[in-house]
Amino acid sequence: MNILVIGSGGREHALVWKISQSSRVEKIYCAPGNPGIGQLAQCVNISVEDLNGLVSFALENAVDLTVIGPEVPLVLGICDKFEEKGLKVIGPNKICSQFEGSKAFTKKFLEKYNIPTAAYREYTDLEFALKGLDEFDLPVVVKADGLAAGKGVIIAETKDIARQTLKEMMGDLSFGEAGTKVVLEEFLSGTEASILCFVDGKNIVPMESAQDYKRIGDNDQGNNTGGMGTYSPNRLFDSHLNEIVKREVLDPIIKGFKDEGLDYKGILFIGLMIEENKPKVLEFNVRFGDPETQSVLVRLETDIVDIFESMIKGTLSTQEIKWSNKSAVTIVLASGGYPDSYQKGKVITGLEQIENSIVFHAGTKEKEGKIITDGGRVLGVTSIGETIGEARKKAYEDVKKISFEGMQYRRDIAQEN
């Protein structure tokens, strides 16, 4: 098979890495890819937003299956365009992609199908939103409704910060059109958990659990990011909690899809907050999470191409999916200044010294034979061990071998509380 992966981050590097292990794959393309991906696949210089260009490439190069990494092309309707041309694609259609394209759309669905989530209100008028703050205790969560590259969520500790955030989002459009509608939400405390699921329209099958670390600083201090590290499996997930999540979250989701006539085929990422064994849904994403994918896919033992095909055929319920009992830890190395403004073009050294980890490239490019930084999150260092502690130790030992100017990372990923 010829397979095309769309995207250029750590998630796509992990996908290409896993797909490359399939005996059924002859050629992997990645658009646009990065230098790490380039060691496993042929990188093609087509933007993820050039939907027509990507369709043409798939047709011209006899691509048998396309896997969409990032959310933007999904929300733009890339899967509809591929399917119109008879091309097989992994990802939900444009209608289903609203689960990430609009936080209000997701909240309405959760509420309608009695799926536990935080109390919320949505607003399109700044004055009404400012008045609406009085309905919420502090801290309060302010979310831009649309896509904001993982950064459109602000946890406001004071009313002044909340007001300022609303004025910037809705008045100044600090997140562009994403902020023309906002969602105010009750703040949930507890432990975050991430569940990635395979969905074939009729069945929802969770992958192994993970925990993501969203804040930039140790002990969950500082601004939200796209994710500073993960580990899998999540320590909280035992058979009892798995059963609760199935009954209260997964089963109602698939019932809702059927009742609403939503033919959801692809990956569903469910962000949860768990407190006292009670899960509440924080968010949906309509694709593999990043960096969760890096910790989860290294534990997958089944051929991922077989799973993808079962999703397209609607036969997930009979597809065997095996996972390693080992644990995985991913530590993200980020540019100085991230998640705010940061510089690019810093030379990365030490990659050739890594022995016990897989280094997934997220924001890198090659220049004059050297690998340089080209994004906020630059690399994901992923290690596998018999225990979470062993994987963590190996990952941090390898992190110390890598350096670039301004490099920052959290030192508490997968640490036991």
Side-chain angles (χ1 to χ4, degrees):
M1 293 175 74
N2 295 329
I3 295 192
L4 169 63
V5 175
I6 293 173
S8 62
R11 161 187 48 223
E12 289 76 28
H13 192 171
L15 279 164
V16 167
W17 177 84
K18 181 49 72 177
I19 290 165
S20 71
Q21 294 163 15
S22 171
S23 59
R24 303 179 56 198
V25 174
E26 184 175 321
K27 176 92 180 173
I28 307 174
Y29 299 100
C30 189
N34 66 40
I37 292 170
Q39 294 170 8
L40 300 167
Q42 181 182 327
C43 293
V44 186
N45 189 21
I46 306 174
S47 161
V48 300
E49 295 179 39
D50 181 3
L51 308 193
N52 292 330
L54 291 164
V55 168
S56 297
F57 178 86
L59 290 168
E60 288 160 15
N61 291 275
V63 168
D64 299 292
L65 178 67
T66 300
V67 183
I68 317 294
E71 62 275 18
V72 172
L74 289 166
V75 171
L76 290 173
I78 190 168
C79 292
D80 308 66
K81 284 190 175 282
F82 268 70
E83 285 169 353
E84 281 164 16
K85 298 293 184 185
L87 293 163
K88 291 180 179 172
V89 63
I90 295 296
N93 59 30
K94 189 172 184 177
I95 290 170
C96 294
S97 293
Q98 289 178 92
F99 282 112
E100 185 158 0
S102 168
K103 294 179 181 71
F105 180 86
T106 299
K107 294 297 283 191
K108 281 177 189 148
F109 177 87
L110 294 170
E111 195 171 63
K112 183 171 180 179
Y113 291 96
N114 297 313
I115 299 164
T117 189
Y120 81 103
R121 292 279 184 275
E122 62 177 88
Y123 298 93
T124 52
D125 180 277
L126 176 57
E127 291 307 314
F128 281 122
L130 291 167
K131 285 177 188 159
L133 282 172
D134 293 334
E135 295 181 43
F136 291 87
D137 294 329
L138 291 170
V140 59
V141 184
V142 185
K143 294 182 174 181
D145 180 64
L147 295 181
K151 296 176 197 153
V153 178
I154 308 295
I155 298 166
E157 303 284 349
T158 68
K159 286 281 166 75
D160 283 345
I161 293 172
R163 287 187 199 100
Q164 184 62 29
T165 301
L166 283 171
K167 285 171 184 170
E168 287 171 3
M169 267 190 201
M170 301 184 82
D172 304 337
L173 294 181
S174 55
F175 293 105
E177 292 301 307
T180 53
K181 182 190 283 186
V182 298
V183 170
L184 293 181
E185 200 173 84
E186 157 195 25
F187 175 77
L188 298 178
S189 56
T191 303
E192 275 200 52
S194 309
I195 305 179
L196 291 155
C197 303
F198 299 114
V199 189
D200 70 356
K202 304 188 288 283
N203 305 285
I204 184 165
V205 179
M207 302 180 211
E208 285 286 277
S209 64
Q211 181 175 343
D212 182 21
Y213 293 75
K214 277 273 187 281
R215 301 290 192 99
I216 186 67
D218 291 352
N219 304 312
D220 290 329
Q221 299 298 306
N223 289 341
N224 262 357
T225 70
M228 290 300 293
T230 56
Y231 74 91
S232 175
N234 189 308
R235 288 187 179 97
L236 280 180
F237 271 76
D238 54 17
S239 57
H240 178 56
L241 182 55
N242 274 324
E243 185 51 44
I244 293 170
V245 168
K246 181 182 184 307
R247 185 177 67 245
E248 296 187 7
V249 179
L250 301 183
D251 289 350
I253 285 172
I254 204 72
K255 179 187 185 299
F257 287 170
K258 288 173 184 171
D259 288 358
E260 298 293 318
L262 296 169
D263 185 23
Y264 194 111
K265 287 188 177 181
I267 306 300
L268 181 67
F269 167 108
I270 307 167
L272 297 171
M273 186 67 80
I274 316 270
E275 190 167 40
E276 295 173 357
N277 254 9
K278 289 186 179 135
K280 287 191 175 183
V281 174
L282 291 173
E283 63 176 349
F284 281 172
N285 292 330
V286 297
R287 34 73 192 181
F288 281 99
D290 192 357
E292 289 91 344
T293 304
Q294 297 167 49
S295 292
V296 170
L297 286 192
V298 295
R299 299 183 55 222
L300 177 63
E301 294 184 342
T302 303
D303 187 324
I304 197 167
V305 176
D306 289 345
I307 300 171
F308 287 156
E309 286 215 313
S310 74
M311 288 162 63
I312 289 167
K313 290 176 185 168
T315 57
L316 251 184
S317 58
T318 58
Q319 171 66 49
E320 184 181 33
I321 302 177
K322 285 187 176 174
W323 298 94
S324 164
N325 290 324
K326 293 186 176 177
S327 300
V329 172
T330 300
I331 296 150
V332 170
L333 310 184
S335 295
Y338 175 79
D340 299 318
S341 60
Y342 55 85
Q343 293 181 327
K344 297 179 181 180
K346 307 299 181 186
V347 175
I348 302 166
T349 59
L351 292 174
E352 69 290 341
Q353 296 176 41
I354 305 305
E355 295 166 0
N356 297 315
S357 305
I358 308 152
V359 180
F360 293 118
H361 289 231
T364 66
K365 72 176 182 182
E366 193 169 346
K367 187 178 180 185
E368 296 168 1
K370 292 183 172 136
I371 305 295
I372 61 171
T373 65
D374 193 45
R377 291 180 297 165
V378 178
L379 300 165
V381 179
T382 299
S383 292
I384 301 163
E386 294 296 330
T387 63
I388 295 166
E390 184 188 315
R392 182 177 191 273
K393 184 168 180 284
K394 283 159 71 173
Y396 274 108
E397 281 171 1
D398 275 340
V399 161
K400 287 174 186 161
K401 297 172 186 173
I402 300 170
S403 72
F404 54 86
E405 187 187 324
M407 182 175 101
Q408 58 170 334
Y409 60 93
R410 282 182 60 159
R411 287 160 175 78
D412 63 345
I413 304 299
Q415 188 172 281
E416 284 204 65
N417 295 334

